[in-house]
Amino acid sequence: MMLPTITVLIVEDLLVNRELYRYCLLDDVSCAYSVLEAESVAEGLELCRTRSIDAILLDYSLPDGDGLEFLETLAIQSNHNSPSVVMMTGHGNESIAVRAMKLGAHDYLAKHKFTPELLRSTMRSAIENARLRRQLRQREERFQASVENMLECFGIYSALRDDAGQIRDFRFDYLNAAALESNQMTAADLDRGLCDVFPAIRETGLFAEYCQVVETGTPLVKEDLVYSDVFGGKILTRAYNIQIAKLDDGFVASWQDITAQKQVYLARIAAEQERDRFFNLSIDLLAVANFDIHFTRLNPAWEKLLGFTIAELMARPFIDFVHPEDRATTLAAAKQASRGEMVTSFENRYRCQDGSYRWLLWSAMPYVEQALFYAIAHDITDRKQAEIDLAWRNQELDSFVHIVSHDLKAPLRAIANLSQWIEEDFQGAISAHSQQQMTLLRSRVYSMEAKIDGLLDYARIGKTDAESELVATAQLVAEIVEILAPAPTFTISISPALPILSANRLLLSQVFANTIGNAIEHHDRTDGLIKISCQTRSDCYEFAIADDGVGIAPEHHERIFGIFQAMNPQNRSNSTGIGLAIVKKIVEAEGGTIWLESQMGEGTTFYFTWPKPGRSDLGDGETLAAKFSTIYPLPPNLSRSVEEKSSNFSDNSKESNL
């Protein structure tokens, strides 16, 4: 078997001794030696610096120094990683041997006790001990490297005891890099006591627990320990998992700083608690259901509304609580959710414990991966009942209006006819004053009949489902003006930029007819001016009907939209006082608004908005108006220029709207 070659350096100034030692070593059949020789301290140190030496046989007395000086210099030169050294001394001085051992020698031999076998066994022992120490050192280095690089914090502590033998503090023997970083300590802090660095150790009782580990040997394990103390000059609260075990007269500790994980956990817990508070306090019905049509979670609002316990509602398929007439649509909605489609504005009825039913309005968001959907339901029973009641009040109101109008119009017609007959029968016998009274009587009858017709028109608003159509508003306004037939001296300007829009033509024409008709009827001159224009807004059209008439006092701006509220009742006996009320009701029913701007003596401008259709704009007003004008040409008598009247027009409306 091949033996490993061991390089031995013999440092001896006498040649005869070097040859003797060489012979003894080379004669060892258990080892294979390669022998180097040096006669002085300097020569020996040079060989140690330039060659790989496994062991040194060192004489104490050398020409340029002694063996102790050699050992001291060798330790420095090799950075305390010297080869195994056996010192030979001729004196057998024990003090020299002790000093040599302290400086790194592994053994020593007295020359007067020298034998070849003793030399060989001593060298073998020294070489083996050196090998074992190297292995131990390598393992320690690897262990320390692994401890230094481990993510867990690691520390070794020794007890500091008082004169009575009681532990008063602990000394830092070692902290790895992770521990230093976690504790926000520097190397200078290692010279301080544990309780000096972390005062709260005593206050929290941890110091007593550490002492218990040292005194009893019982390990200590703490998980999720929340600890507040001074870290790097700041008071911080941290969370740890700690394991502590006894080591000599002290302990070894490893710990993990779980503050970040704890914060995430606490944040998640807080979020869950907030969610649960929202879930439990919501007055709406919140539910989680699976695709097997069973509730998996319900909030307390269910118990309050339906009377069933949550356990009862979750024990059966939720379809069992749905009104029989609504079950098919409910199953269809559940199937829609199971396909991953959101369900919104779905209505059905749920049975209460007392047998009654409540109307619910649902929205549900599916999570297909979990085979769940999350839903919210709002109790709309009162709204549904109100709709039923409103439909019944409207029906009764319609019946009342028609009955009243019939019962009132019939005698009114009879009065008008009777007055006409009396006047015809007594023609020539009735005085002029009496004839005027008869004419006044019939005019009042006709006015009352017009009011009744207006009441019927007002009641019909919103009751018809007429479809929308494309309306060229310029052409519509022209037709209305032609029907209204203002005096030839009256000027009406229709903007060519009036839009083409989608609307109920009859309702829109009624709005224009009443507003334009009022402007004509209540104007104080026969040569008045009215402008009809429009501005396109983002979501609507804003129409303006402006006149240069007498104006309306601000205190009457709201009142004139009331029913039977004429603008000038003392001067206009044929006004029904319901026209603007009809306009307001139509505009608001279509989703618009109406208002006016006016001052006495400065004219009046009525504004109303008409919502755009729920699709892209129909195009540029002038362009479409031009197209429609080829189909519906404006009457020639409405093509008057307004320049000749503009100087007399007092416009209180916005410049951009006219």
Side-chain angles (χ1 to χ4, degrees):
M1 184 177 77
M2 291 285 294
L3 297 174
T5 300
I6 299 172
T7 302
V8 176
L9 171 63
I10 300 174
V11 184
E12 168 66 62
D13 59 331
L14 297 177
L15 176 61
V16 63
N17 287 346
R18 293 201 303 272
E19 289 179 347
L20 175 62
Y21 301 153
R22 175 194 291 271
Y23 173 79
C24 292
L25 293 175
L26 295 178
D27 196 41
D28 190 348
V29 296
S30 62
C31 293
Y33 290 101
S34 172
V35 179
L36 300 176
E37 298 179 9
E39 299 179 4
S40 64
V41 171
E43 186 180 1
L45 291 174
E46 179 62 20
L47 285 172
C48 289
R49 191 178 63 80
T50 59
R51 303 290 295 270
S52 176
I53 308 297
D54 297 314
I56 300 173
L57 185 59
L58 174 65
D59 188 24
Y60 173 73
S61 298
L62 295 168
D64 56 349
D66 59 33
L68 298 179
E69 294 174 358
F70 181 94
L71 288 172
E72 193 171 11
T73 306
L74 178 63
I76 298 172
Q77 179 176 292
S78 63
N79 195 24
H80 299 280
N81 192 22
S82 306
S84 184
V85 177
V86 175
M87 179 173 284
M88 300 290 291
T89 173
H91 304 286
N93 191 319
E94 293 294 333
S95 63
I96 294 176
V98 171
R99 291 173 60 193
M101 298 292 283
K102 287 184 177 181
L103 290 172
H106 296 86
D107 208 343
Y108 77 99
L109 289 174
K111 291 183 178 180
H112 67 280
K113 296 181 179 180
F114 170 82
T115 65
E117 183 56 36
L118 181 60
L119 176 62
R120 287 193 288 265
S121 63
T122 301
M123 289 301 296
R124 285 196 301 268
S125 176
I127 292 170
E128 179 63 17
N129 287 338
R131 183 184 68 81
L132 293 176
R133 279 194 296 271
R134 280 196 303 272
Q135 287 183 351
L136 179 60
R137 185 167 58 250
Q138 290 172 352
R139 290 174 182 173
E140 288 177 348
E141 290 173 352
R142 285 197 295 268
F143 172 74
Q144 184 163 351
S146 63
V147 168
E148 282 294 329
N149 294 315
M150 67 189 302
L151 297 179
E152 279 194 5
C153 304
F154 181 83
I156 301 175
Y157 306 82
S158 294
L160 298 175
R161 298 180 181 269
D162 57 20
D163 294 339
Q166 299 297 315
I167 300 176
R168 59 178 178 81
D169 205 344
F170 289 96
R171 180 180 63 242
F172 294 100
D173 290 339
Y174 171 77
L175 290 179
N176 69 349
L180 287 171
E181 182 180 0
S182 175
N183 292 347
Q184 298 188 22
M185 294 173 59
T186 65
D189 293 322
L190 295 176
D191 295 331
R192 300 164 60 191
L194 176 62
C195 296
D196 182 33
V197 176
F198 299 112
I201 287 284
R202 292 186 188 275
E203 302 167 9
T204 59
L206 284 176
F207 177 76
E209 293 184 86
Y210 295 167
C211 293
Q212 189 74 8
V213 171
V214 176
E215 301 295 357
T216 65
T218 304
L220 175 66
V221 176
K222 282 186 170 292
E223 294 184 350
D224 296 329
L225 171 67
V226 178
Y227 178 77
S228 297
D229 210 327
V230 179
F231 295 87
K234 297 179 181 178
I235 297 178
L236 302 175
T237 299
R238 316 294 285 272
Y240 299 100
N241 289 337
I242 298 179
Q243 301 86 34
I244 296 176
K246 178 180 173 61
L247 179 66
D248 299 330
D249 191 30
F251 64 89
V252 59
S254 65
W255 67 94
Q256 292 176 305
D257 186 338
I258 59 170
T259 305
Q261 300 93 307
K262 196 73 173 179
Q263 287 173 341
V264 172
Y265 170 76
L266 293 176
R268 186 176 73 249
I269 294 297
E272 291 176 355
Q273 291 174 343
E274 183 177 4
R275 180 200 63 197
D276 290 342
R277 283 195 297 270
F278 171 79
F279 195 85
N280 293 328
L281 296 177
S282 173
I283 60 174
D284 282 324
L285 307 177
L286 304 180
V288 182
N290 58 33
F291 289 174
D292 295 330
I293 62 172
H294 278 78
F295 290 125
T296 60
R297 187 176 182 187
L298 297 170
N299 70 329
W302 285 87
E303 292 182 336
K304 184 176 180 181
L305 181 68
L306 301 184
F308 292 106
T309 66
I310 289 178
E312 289 173 328
L313 290 167
M314 293 175 60
R316 300 163 58 184
F318 60 70
I319 198 67
D320 291 353
F321 298 94
V322 176
H323 193 286
E325 295 178 2
D326 300 334
R327 288 179 181 175
T329 54
T330 301
L331 290 173
K335 187 174 182 180
Q336 177 183 345
S338 68
R339 294 194 300 265
E341 302 175 17
M342 188 173 178
V343 177
T344 57
S345 303
F346 173 74
E347 298 178 359
N348 65 3
R349 288 164 285 181
Y350 261 69
R351 179 166 52 88
C352 299
Q353 191 179 37
D354 61 6
S356 62
Y357 283 88
R358 306 292 295 184
W359 277 99
L360 303 181
L361 177 65
W362 290 88
S363 292
M365 174 67 73
Y367 285 84
V368 179
E369 299 80 4
Q370 304 173 8
L372 296 173
F373 55 85
Y374 295 76
I376 181 171
H378 183 65
D379 181 12
I380 59 170
T381 306
D382 293 341
R383 192 195 78 186
K384 281 288 189 180
Q385 187 60 48
E387 291 174 356
I388 294 171
D389 294 343
L390 181 61
W392 178 251
R393 283 196 299 277
N394 285 340
Q395 183 178 353
E396 288 185 332
L397 178 61
D398 288 346
S399 299
F400 171 76
V401 169
H402 283 286
I403 290 171
V404 169
S405 66
H406 179 271
D407 291 347
L408 288 178
K409 288 177 74 173
L412 286 175
R413 284 193 296 269
I415 292 172
N417 291 337
L418 182 60
S419 68
Q420 184 70 40
W421 295 338
I422 291 174
E423 192 173 358
E424 291 175 355
D425 289 345
F426 293 93
Q427 188 172 11
I430 300 178
S431 66
H433 176 71
S434 297
Q435 285 182 342
Q436 290 177 353
Q437 294 298 317
M438 286 292 184
T439 302
L440 178 61
L441 172 66
R442 286 194 295 273
S443 68
R444 296 290 173 84
V445 167
Y446 297 148
S447 176
M448 178 61 71
E449 190 171 12
K451 289 180 184 290
I452 293 171
D453 289 337
L455 183 63
L456 285 173
D457 291 338
Y458 187 83
R460 291 190 189 104
I461 295 172
K463 303 297 191 302
T464 59
D465 296 324
E467 293 184 358
S468 296
E469 59 182 287
L470 286 181
V471 178
T473 52
Q475 177 65 33
L476 177 65
V477 170
E479 293 173 357
I480 290 169
V481 172
E482 191 172 20
I483 294 171
L484 293 174
T489 56
F490 215 101
T491 302
I492 297 181
S493 171
I494 303 173
S495 169
L498 293 186
I500 297 171
L501 51 80
S502 177
N504 182 315
R505 183 181 181 87
L506 179 61
L507 295 179
L508 186 58
S509 66
Q510 198 164 6
V511 171
F512 278 119
N514 285 2
T515 51
I516 298 172
N518 270 334
I520 296 172
E521 182 180 357
H522 296 284
H523 206 289
D524 60 336
R525 304 191 315 275
T526 58
D527 62 345
L529 171 63
I530 297 175
K531 286 185 176 182
I532 298 99
S533 61
C534 180
Q535 286 289 313
T536 301
R537 305 302 182 194
S538 61
D539 58 349
C540 66
Y541 299 102
E542 183 180 293
F543 292 93
I545 297 91
D547 67 63
D548 61 347
V550 68
I552 302 172
E555 60 267 24
H556 299 313
H557 285 189
E558 291 296 328
R559 183 183 65 81
I560 62 173
F561 290 108
I563 194 168
F564 299 135
Q565 298 292 325
M567 284 190 286
N568 294 296
Q570 68 278 13
N571 298 328
R572 304 295 179 180
S573 59
N574 60 341
S575 173
T576 65
I578 202 170
L580 288 179
I582 290 175
V583 168
K584 180 178 175 64
K585 189 171 183 181
I586 291 174
V587 169
E588 292 180 349
E590 293 298 311
T593 55
I594 184 168
W595 70 99
L596 76 150
E597 294 179 359
S598 180
Q599 294 289 338
M600 290 300 297
E602 297 182 3
T604 301
T605 302
F606 279 91
Y607 298 95
F608 72 89
T609 61
W610 200 270
K612 288 182 177 179
R615 52 192 173 95
S616 62
D617 199 359
L618 295 171
D620 176 73
E622 293 191 22
T623 303
L624 289 175
K627 292 180 180 178
F628 267 69
S629 66
T630 62
I631 304 173
Y632 305 106
L634 292 175
N637 62 341
L638 291 179
S639 301
R640 305 187 183 101
S641 171
V642 299
E643 280 75 6
E644 60 188 80
K645 297 282 185 177
S646 60
S647 60
N648 299 323
F649 186 79
S650 177
D651 183 7
N652 70 325
S653 64
K654 300 182 181 70
E655 185 72 23
S656 62
N657 286 342
L658 295 176

